[in-house]
Amino acid sequence: MRLFSLCLLFFIFPLLLPAKPINNLVPNPGFEKRSKCPKALGQIDRVDDWNSPNGGTPDYFNECFQKNYQSVSVPRNYFGIQGAWDGKAYAGIYAGEQEMEYLQVQLTEPLEAGEKYCLRFFASPPSWEGEQFPALKAMLGVGALQESDWGRLEGKGDVLDLDYELDGQIGSWVILSATIMAKGGEDHLIIGYFGPTDGKGYTYIDGVGLYPYNSPGSCAWEYFSGDPEEDTHNFVPNPGFELKYACPESREQLEMAVGWRVMENTPDFFHTCGTGTASVPNNPLGFQEPYEGSGYGGFWCLLISRRDYREFISMKLREPLKKGEVYCLSMKVSLSDITTHALGDLQMLPARRPERDASTLPSDDPRLVFLTDSTAGILDDREGWTNISALFVANGDEKYLTIGNFRKNDDPKLVRDRPDKPRKPGQLIFQSSNCYYYVDDVSLSLRESPISECPVTQVPQVVADPDLPNWSFQTGVPQVDTAAREEEPVADWKAGDTLVLEHFLFAFDAADLAPEATPILDTLGAYLGRHPELRVAITGHTDDQGSEAYNLRLSQERAGSVMAYLEALGIAEKRIETEGKGESEPLVANDSEENRTRNRRVEIRFLEE
């Protein structure tokens, strides 16, 4: 599998991308067409359409050269090991203190004044030494350039700053892109080092494209498909796995699906144009038509034969989430035919930064959002697609979602579910326990959005913010500062536990909930929504101010206020019972205002359903 990391800084919308993008104004974008096979460095003149605009000697690499693998072959060559982004070839440019190399190509037609265009290409540095990668830019101009020296090209045309994001993984192809408003007449494109450089550096270049803005397959991050409502409201790029850079040749090529990131191991991409193990609807893991469109993803939730193996997929959202807003996350899942186990839920981690070690996180990590189907229970449908969803409250500025199974092998939520139909020809055989889901139609929208598929009775989940000062993360495992969180319980309750809510739920001589009470009750409601096996008994208590009869009634009203709040969050009335104890069971003596405040409390006992 090609080493690749999708690091997007731009927005991607769902549409069907042809195997080869159309309307590309760059001829020979992948450096595949050549007059001769390269035999040494510096032979860009053997590539059709491309040349050097100055005295530099860009390099040409191609699989056709087999005599010396340390020279200009693919994937091994003088500068390192790098597979082509697509096809069998790519180019390379060097940056030194006084020597700069550039790639120049004449467009198939001049740009039209006032029209928008999209530029994108793929680049990969063999090493980060010299940090030349940020200096990469592009320039559009009228007419070809031909300078005699190797110096930097400055003041020769409009230099374009490019969007990109690096993850520090050597050997990865990174996407660089820009949106252009043409002045008119630009007919040449130059790629090279226009920014400041430090020392020496080198970069491979492949897959160069310049497209009219509304051309299918062009500005995938900005182009609206035929469903404006979906494009406007969905924060997830390429939600149906339709948009692709190339047709997958094997299923372990999720990086071919635009916008989707491989966070751990080798999650899969299936498409109707795919070949080998990536085909649709028949593939080695089962038979499955897409929920809609032509593609879908897939990942292992459990594979014991490979030591607790897990796979996780991720994407960068089209825009960061806003603090305090309630979002609906939903997606369609289908259990593969070869699976021996099924799950009652999948989990999602919203984060401000990519999560590199998802499998190390505990299943009760308070940052996780749990996606379930309230009607189906176990997600064991192999024939069709099941919608799973969750509402959650954003902490603010989350940019990445990571989806998978964070539960460990001994978790009771992993349910054995052997298939009752015979294996089909070509399907894999696994003797040990395993669990695999296809996934399609991933959607993240505001709760009130018209595309939201979360039930109206669903409880918003309140998740921890890892950037708070009282949270620290070591090797991915959250450590709780109990002193700082004395009044904010961690949601990990079981039957038999008692949660004491004191100090601030109610004002003196009142049954109305104080505003400070709602975050904890939101957490409680979210936890009960994820754990239908639990019910609660709510008991209200007061201090000794007032008559016993009055305090008994007040304690009952306070318990009723908590019950009403939980019911408003979607917790069924049959799962809640209430009782008032008045002043009869104080926690401490009612001999000071501080102690009386502690006695004005509600206790919540967790019971089995």
Side-chain angles (χ1 to χ4, degrees):
M1 186 182 86
R2 295 187 183 96
L3 290 175
F4 177 74
S5 175
L6 284 176
C7 303
L8 303 179
L9 282 180
F10 40 76
F11 302 151
I12 302 175
F13 297 86
L15 72 160
L16 182 61
L17 182 64
K20 299 293 182 182
I22 62 175
N23 295 334
N24 189 354
L25 302 183
V26 176
N28 197 15
F31 305 93
E32 303 296 325
K33 297 178 181 180
R34 55 184 169 82
S35 59
K36 296 180 181 179
C37 188
K39 294 183 178 181
L41 296 173
Q43 293 185 335
I44 195 66
D45 57 335
R46 298 197 172 195
V47 182
D48 291 356
D49 302 302
W50 291 87
N51 59 75
S52 172
N54 67 355
T57 55
D59 303 315
Y60 179 41
F61 305 92
N62 196 301
E63 287 182 9
C64 65
F65 185 75
Q66 300 293 324
K67 293 183 179 181
N68 182 354
Y69 291 101
Q70 298 303 315
S71 182
V72 291
S73 187
V74 172
R76 292 181 179 272
N77 53 63
Y78 178 82
F79 293 97
I81 301 176
Q82 177 65 65
W85 160 246
D86 191 20
K88 302 178 179 181
Y90 49 80
I93 52 177
Y94 168 82
E97 295 180 358
Q98 304 295 328
E99 302 171 348
M100 299 293 166
E101 292 182 342
Y102 300 84
L103 293 165
Q104 179 173 244
V105 65
Q106 183 175 355
L107 304 178
T108 58
E109 60 184 61
L111 305 188
E112 297 184 15
E115 294 295 323
K116 291 178 68 176
Y117 296 85
C118 303
L119 170 68
R120 69 107 176 95
F121 62 91
F122 299 88
S124 177
S127 73
W128 298 117
E129 183 179 358
E131 297 184 351
Q132 310 307 320
F133 200 78
L136 277 178
K137 298 179 186 297
M139 183 171 71
L140 284 169
V142 179
L145 285 179
Q146 188 56 62
E147 301 289 331
S148 59
D149 59 39
W150 281 42
R152 190 187 305 274
L153 296 176
E154 297 178 320
K156 305 296 183 179
D158 293 329
V159 176
L160 306 171
D161 290 323
L162 304 173
D163 288 332
Y164 63 91
E165 181 175 308
L166 303 178
D167 68 354
Q169 181 180 352
I170 301 304
S172 298
W173 287 105
V174 178
I175 306 171
L176 292 90
S177 64
T179 301
I180 303 157
M181 182 68 73
K183 293 182 178 179
E186 299 94 330
D187 59 0
H188 279 75
L189 170 69
I190 299 174
I191 296 173
Y193 302 101
F194 293 91
T197 54
D198 178 21
K200 298 178 181 181
Y202 195 87
T203 308
Y204 300 120
I205 304 291
D206 200 359
V208 184
L210 180 64
Y211 311 90
Y213 184 73
N214 285 334
S215 171
S218 59
C219 291
W221 59 95
E222 293 181 341
Y223 178 64
F224 281 76
S225 72
D227 188 350
E229 181 175 81
E230 178 75 14
D231 290 331
T232 301
H233 297 285
N234 195 351
F235 290 78
V236 174
N238 195 16
F241 300 86
E242 308 299 325
L243 198 64
K244 61 190 184 303
Y245 294 116
C247 292
E249 298 176 354
S250 65
R251 60 184 174 87
E252 300 94 345
Q253 292 183 324
L254 183 68
E255 72 274 10
M256 295 297 186
V258 172
W260 289 94
R261 305 160 60 95
V262 178
M263 296 313 300
E264 195 164 341
N265 297 315
T266 56
D268 302 327
F269 175 41
F270 305 89
H271 202 278
T272 53
C273 75
T275 57
T277 58
S279 60
V280 171
N282 282 300
N283 56 70
L285 299 177
F287 178 92
Q288 186 56 259
E289 297 281 359
Y291 174 74
E292 60 183 8
S294 303
Y296 50 81
F299 51 82
W300 290 104
C301 299
L302 167 72
L303 193 56
I304 291 180
S305 64
R306 295 177 63 177
R307 297 186 179 181
D308 204 15
Y309 183 84
R310 300 284 190 276
E311 292 177 342
F312 295 88
I313 61 176
S314 178
M315 86 291 292
K316 185 176 182 180
L317 300 174
R318 296 198 291 108
E319 59 184 80
L321 304 186
K322 295 181 180 179
K323 182 178 181 179
E325 292 283 3
V326 178
Y327 292 87
C328 170
L329 177 67
S330 66
M331 63 183 185
K332 308 299 186 299
V333 296
S334 180
L335 194 64
S336 79
D337 291 334
I338 57 93
T339 292
T340 63
H341 281 64
L343 286 166
D345 57 38
L346 289 173
Q347 302 87 49
M348 180 274 291
L349 176 70
R352 298 183 180 95
R353 292 164 293 280
E355 178 57 57
R356 299 297 180 191
D357 299 305
S359 62
T360 66
L361 302 183
S363 59
D364 59 352
D365 190 307
R367 298 176 296 167
L368 292 177
V369 176
F370 292 77
L371 294 99
T372 62
D373 177 17
S374 58
T375 62
I378 300 301
L379 307 175
D380 56 1
D381 188 352
R382 290 180 170 83
E383 303 297 330
W385 293 90
T386 301
N387 184 67
I388 59 175
S389 63
L391 290 173
F392 70 98
V393 182
N395 287 299
D397 293 325
E398 294 94 332
K399 301 176 183 177
Y400 298 90
L401 302 185
T402 300
I403 298 172
N405 170 41
F406 293 82
R407 298 187 182 278
K408 308 310 176 191
N409 291 352
D410 58 354
D411 195 298
K413 291 287 187 179
L414 283 166
V415 179
R416 193 160 188 83
D417 182 59
R418 285 195 176 278
D420 55 1
K421 55 185 178 181
R423 182 179 63 90
K424 297 177 181 178
Q427 286 183 359
L428 300 175
I429 301 176
F430 284 90
Q431 303 297 335
S432 62
S433 299
N434 65 83
C435 177
Y436 186 95
Y437 282 99
Y438 301 114
V439 57
D440 200 358
D441 191 37
V442 184
S443 175
L444 178 69
S445 64
L446 289 167
R447 175 170 54 179
E448 298 80 11
S449 166
I451 69 169
S452 170
E453 295 193 55
C454 292
V456 294
T457 58
Q458 201 164 45
V459 181
Q461 300 177 36
V462 179
V463 296
D465 185 344
D467 288 340
L468 288 176
N470 53 345
W471 282 88
S472 63
F473 287 83
Q474 300 174 358
T475 64
V477 179
Q479 308 293 325
V480 181
D481 182 349
T482 55
R485 295 177 63 86
E486 180 179 7
E487 297 181 352
E488 188 175 356
V490 176
D492 185 19
W493 301 294
K494 301 177 179 60
D497 291 346
T498 299
L499 170 64
V500 179
L501 305 178
E502 54 185 72
H503 298 320
F504 57 81
L505 280 187
F506 308 96
F508 172 76
D509 198 29
D512 296 329
L513 289 169
E516 295 85 354
T518 57
I520 287 183
L521 294 181
D522 285 339
T523 300
L524 174 61
Y527 188 83
L528 292 174
R530 298 198 304 267
H531 295 273
E533 73 278 7
L534 295 177
R535 57 189 179 89
V536 291
I538 303 171
T539 304
H541 300 268
T542 68
D543 57 23
D544 64 350
Q545 303 297 295
S547 67
E548 290 184 7
Y550 177 84
N551 287 335
L552 178 63
R553 185 175 71 253
L554 181 61
S555 67
Q556 293 169 340
E557 291 174 352
R558 286 176 171 172
S561 294
V562 175
M563 178 180 180
Y565 191 90
L566 293 177
E567 287 182 344
L569 292 178
I571 307 303
E573 180 181 359
K574 65 180 181 180
R575 298 178 59 194
I576 307 172
E577 56 186 75
T578 62
E579 183 182 16
K581 292 284 189 175
E583 61 186 74
S584 63
E585 295 181 5
L587 283 177
V588 293
N590 286 294
D591 54 5
S592 67
E593 180 55 33
E594 179 181 354
N595 285 350
R596 284 191 289 271
T597 300
R598 289 194 61 191
N599 288 332
R600 296 195 296 266
R601 70 194 189 279
V602 168
E603 295 181 352
I604 300 175
R605 289 180 294 118
F606 293 85
L607 310 171
E608 292 183 351
E609 184 68 87

